[in-house]
Amino acid sequence: MPPASSWVMRHLDFVPAGGAVLDLAAGSGRHVRLCRRAGLAVVAVDRDTAGLNAFADDGGVEILAADLEAAAWPLAGRRFGGVIVTNYLWRPLLPEIVAAVAPGGVLIYETFAAGNEAFGRPRNPDFLLRPNELLEAVGAELEVLEYRHGFEPGPPSAVRQKIAARRPDMDRP
């Protein structure tokens, strides 16, 4: 299993204690494992859940098979203390992803951005964030904790965009 993203590790402490985490496009479960080690419950969503079999008997992990690009948002009305998305972009879901962050919760998102086509896959602009696109996606709903966009030396070299943003907690002054 590949190691957890350093961006996710850096911001995971912003997830409120006791808050469940949504790992969207969870793949092999590298961030599920990280969250479970931190004592967080996880909802792991992917089209192909075979990579999540190691968590099948873990009562703190809910595994949900869903084709996020061909069906309705499977988590309507659910909110999470943390929402993690890495190496995945389906623009029609950006509003649902932001809405899934509970008050006091955090969105931790990183994926490839325009310019990455010079270094490898993905090259299709449909799967590359435009400059400031994650900032625009969170808008005024979430408070930006940290944002980056730019070249990252490898291996493998890539152009990435990253954001960590928190929804204000209405219960806190």
Side-chain angles (χ1 to χ4, degrees):
M1 177 179 305
S5 153
S6 60
W7 184 257
V8 173
M9 289 189 295
R10 175 183 175 120
H11 296 95
L12 192 62
D13 286 344
F14 286 103
V15 175
V21 172
L22 169 61
D23 185 357
L24 198 63
S28 64
R30 64 187 177 137
H31 297 118
V32 174
R33 180 166 277 115
L34 176 70
C35 290
R36 292 302 291 142
R37 286 184 182 147
L40 299 165
V42 182
V43 176
V45 180
D46 207 294
R47 178 179 44 181
D48 179 0
T49 59
L52 300 169
N53 286 340
F55 305 100
D57 294 329
D58 184 333
V61 178
E62 176 186 346
I63 299 171
L64 180 59
D67 186 342
L68 299 169
E69 298 168 20
W73 176 245
L75 301 161
R78 292 182 71 179
R79 302 292 177 263
F80 301 88
V83 176
I84 296 171
V85 186
T86 60
N87 301 330
Y88 179 75
L89 175 63
W90 185 247
R91 284 185 176 88
L93 288 182
L94 287 173
E96 283 83 359
I97 291 168
V98 171
V101 179
V106 64
L107 171 65
I108 305 168
Y109 199 135
E110 72 169 311
T111 196
F112 300 98
N116 191 71
E117 58 276 14
F119 302 100
R121 295 178 57 180
R123 290 186 171 96
N124 183 334
D126 290 341
F127 304 111
L128 298 172
L129 288 164
R130 297 180 296 267
N132 299 320
E133 191 167 358
L134 287 177
L135 287 171
E136 293 165 6
V138 303
E141 286 189 56
L142 306 181
E143 167 193 313
V144 175
L145 302 171
E146 189 172 1
Y147 171 81
R148 293 186 185 174
H149 178 129
F151 172 75
E152 294 181 351
S157 296
V159 177
R160 294 183 159 276
Q161 194 171 133
K162 306 175 181 191
I163 197 165
R166 180 175 32 215
R167 182 174 302 282
D169 187 343
M170 303 308 171
D171 295 332
R172 289 193 310 188

